[in-house]
Amino acid sequence: MNTIKRLLDKPEFPRSMKYDPLWMLENQMGPNVIWITEWLCEQLSIDKEMRVLDLGCGKAISSIFLAKEFETRVWAADLWISPDNNWRRAANAGVADRICPVRVESHNLPFAAGFFDVVVSLNAYHFFGTDALYLNYLSRFVRKGGLLGIVVPGLTRAIGRDVPEHLTKPQSNGKVFWGPECLSIQTVDWWRELWERSGKVQNVRAELLPNGWQHWRDFEQAMEQAGVNAFPVNVEVLDRDQGRYLGLVSVTAQRNETDTMNLYDPVAVNRGTPY
């Protein structure tokens, strides 16, 4: 237990240190979502009057963090995790009155145009947001002048066709880190350019979490030590890499006050009047 406590002792995330380490470990679905939510919120102005969409919320602990720390109303949206279970987690955390758990698919969001003040996505956006038109679609659900922010696993520098051997070499647990799905892991510059090109947002800011690879590694090692990892961990590959290529990327922006008509609808239903 002392090793786990040492791995999770992060003065860089003072808000996160108030939360039960075992709760964070047992409800993980990627690099510690409580840490990265706190980091993202340093770049976003969130208050209790806002409506926040937590897109791809997993087990909703990021939503719980937002509701507890900022007293905001959060729509905890995920495709794979049951809203019933997320509702129980919210109730157990004492924020049932501020969290609405919903099951959604990221390309078929059931919300009104301009409904949210803020949209965040933690450890999830790279699974659907690399589509050059996706931000155009997502931005319609944010009020003009509202905020968007994501944190995703990313690259500290670009990788060409020849992936570094240490990323493809099997770990002792048998897991190979780099596979075809890693094509969605991109650099800070790649994400910045994608968002700037959309024309739907302004004040785009993209950056790497300082020592992000180490925070990622420490959390995965703590999961393994606690015996709560559902899948083989990536500790060895992160140790081999030492931040040469792997890290955590945040992107934030503000929806344009003036906007043009958006005709992109990935499911081609409920078109109505474009916002």
Side-chain angles (χ1 to χ4, degrees), residues 21-270:
L22 188 57
W23 178 77
M24 292 192 290
L25 290 166
E26 290 178 336
N27 292 294
Q28 60 76 31
M29 292 186 72
N32 190 328
V33 75
I34 300 297
W35 292 344
I36 64 175
T37 304
E38 179 171 352
W39 176 48
L40 182 66
C41 289
E42 292 173 1
Q43 305 167 56
L44 300 173
S45 297
I46 298 177
D47 63 51
K48 64 182 180 181
E49 302 301 321
M50 291 180 168
R51 291 190 290 262
V52 178
L53 173 61
D54 185 0
L55 183 58
C57 69
K59 294 184 179 180
I61 63 173
S62 51
S63 304
I64 291 168
F65 178 89
L66 290 164
K68 289 179 76 72
E69 296 299 315
F70 302 99
E71 300 182 28
T72 191
R73 291 168 290 172
V74 187
W75 277 252
D78 199 82
L79 177 61
W80 303 113
I81 303 302
S82 162
D84 295 340
N85 290 334
N86 281 345
W87 175 250
R88 282 193 289 272
R89 270 184 284 275
N92 290 338
V95 289
D97 59 331
R98 295 198 290 277
I99 290 183
C100 177
V102 292
R103 188 187 298 278
V104 303
E105 202 285 319
S106 60
H107 295 84
N108 190 14
L109 299 179
F111 306 113
F115 182 75
F116 294 104
D117 300 287
V118 182
V119 171
V120 299
S121 184
L122 296 312
N123 288 334
Y125 193 84
H126 57 302
F127 292 122
F128 47 80
T130 55
D131 174 354
L133 294 177
Y134 187 75
L135 184 61
N136 294 22
Y137 171 68
L138 181 61
S139 66
R140 76 171 64 175
F141 301 103
V142 185
R143 66 168 173 81
K144 293 180 180 180
L147 303 171
L148 301 98
I150 67 170
V151 179
V152 292
L155 297 175
T156 60
R157 52 177 158 166
I159 291 178
R161 290 183 177 273
D162 297 323
V163 178
E165 183 181 0
H166 71 276
L167 300 181
T168 60
K169 179 182 176 183
Q171 300 175 93
S172 60
N173 59 19
K175 183 177 181 182
V176 174
F177 175 82
W178 193 274
E181 67 280 1
C182 290
L183 292 174
S184 66
I185 300 179
Q186 299 290 346
T187 65
V188 165
D189 291 341
W190 189 94
W191 282 108
R192 182 188 299 110
E193 182 181 358
L194 180 69
W195 281 37
E196 287 177 343
R197 286 203 322 262
S198 76
K200 297 294 179 180
V201 295
Q202 60 191 10
N203 302 325
V204 177
R205 178 179 175 182
E207 60 185 57
L208 285 164
L209 172 63
N211 300 315
W213 75 270
Q214 189 167 8
H215 298 317
W216 184 355
R217 188 276 311 275
D218 289 350
F219 190 66
E220 296 224 356
Q221 188 172 351
M223 283 195 296
E224 189 173 47
Q225 295 266 340
V228 297
N229 53 302
F231 304 99
V233 296
N234 297 302
V235 173
E236 283 183 29
V237 75
L238 289 163
D239 269 333
R240 291 178 202 152
D241 186 71
Q242 294 282 305
R244 285 180 290 163
Y245 288 93
L246 301 178
L248 298 171
V249 172
S250 75
V251 192
T252 59
Q254 181 180 31
R255 186 182 168 188
N256 287 341
E257 293 282 358
T258 58
D259 204 354
T260 56
M261 183 177 290
N262 183 355
L263 297 177
Y264 177 63
D265 189 336
V267 292
V269 296
N270 301 324

